[in-house]
Amino acid sequence: MASVRTMGSAAALLMGLGVLPAGAQEKSSTALDVLIQQCAPCHGVDGIGHDTEIPNLAGQHDRYLWLQMMAFRRGTRRHQEMRYMSRSLSEDEIAALVQYYSSLPR
Ligand code: HEC
């Protein structure tokens, strides 16, 4: 199937389906795509919260997002789901996610 082969990557496929915003391709590796899928049910692939209780991450300062993730990890910012999510990730994975979400348009 030539059309599938020329797409080249999962990111291109997701953009074709309208799941990933256009322009996200260069920033997302396959490993990053897998990580983003863990956050997307709540924060979206586009970084826009899916409910009024879920903050938007798109375009937020990367430093701020990093500090919040570390606070959830330590438990100094209390939230059950985010505590679980932040503790299941390595610091490198958190850094990649923070970089991704901060680079998105608000
Ligand atoms: C089950 C839903 C859910 C999932 C999955 C989830 N989050 Fe969250 N996240 C929330 C909620 C709700 C808050 C707000 C917490 C609060 O009220 O203090 C939040 C807060 C945050 C914040 C702080 C934002 C701010 O403006 O202070 C960051 C950063 C964050 N999440 C990143 C992530 C990342 C990265 C992932 C994926 C690894 C993720 N979240 C997965 C629900 C979720």
Side-chain angles (χ1 to χ4, degrees), residues 11 22-30 32-33 36 96 99-101 103-105:
Q25 186 176 16
E26 299 84 27
K27 289 162 202 149
S28 49
S29 66
T30 305
L32 181 56
D33 289 340
I36 294 164
Q99 204 278 322
Y100 168 77
Y101 277 116
S103 73
L104 296 176

Side-chain angles (χ1 to χ4, degrees), residues 29-102:
S29 66
T30 305
L32 181 56
D33 289 340
V34 172
L35 292 176
I36 294 164
Q37 290 314 312
Q38 298 179 41
C39 320
C42 298
H43 294 288
V45 171
D46 56 1
I48 304 301
H50 284 185
D51 199 354
T52 51
E53 291 178 7
I54 302 172
N56 297 341
L57 305 181
Q60 187 53 268
H61 298 296
D62 54 355
R63 178 78 182 148
Y64 172 78
L65 294 177
W66 170 264
L67 289 173
Q68 299 317 302
M69 292 301 283
M70 291 301 121
F72 287 128
R73 259 191 164 192
R74 283 191 216 100
T76 50
R77 180 170 173 179
R78 288 168 178 270
H79 192 267
Q80 202 178 338
E81 274 107 2
M82 284 313 304
R83 177 187 156 103
Y84 174 80
M85 294 308 303
S86 60
R87 290 192 174 191
S88 71
L89 299 165
S90 72
E91 292 200 4
D92 285 349
E93 289 170 333
I94 291 173
L97 284 166
V98 156
Q99 204 278 322
Y100 168 77
Y101 277 116
S102 69

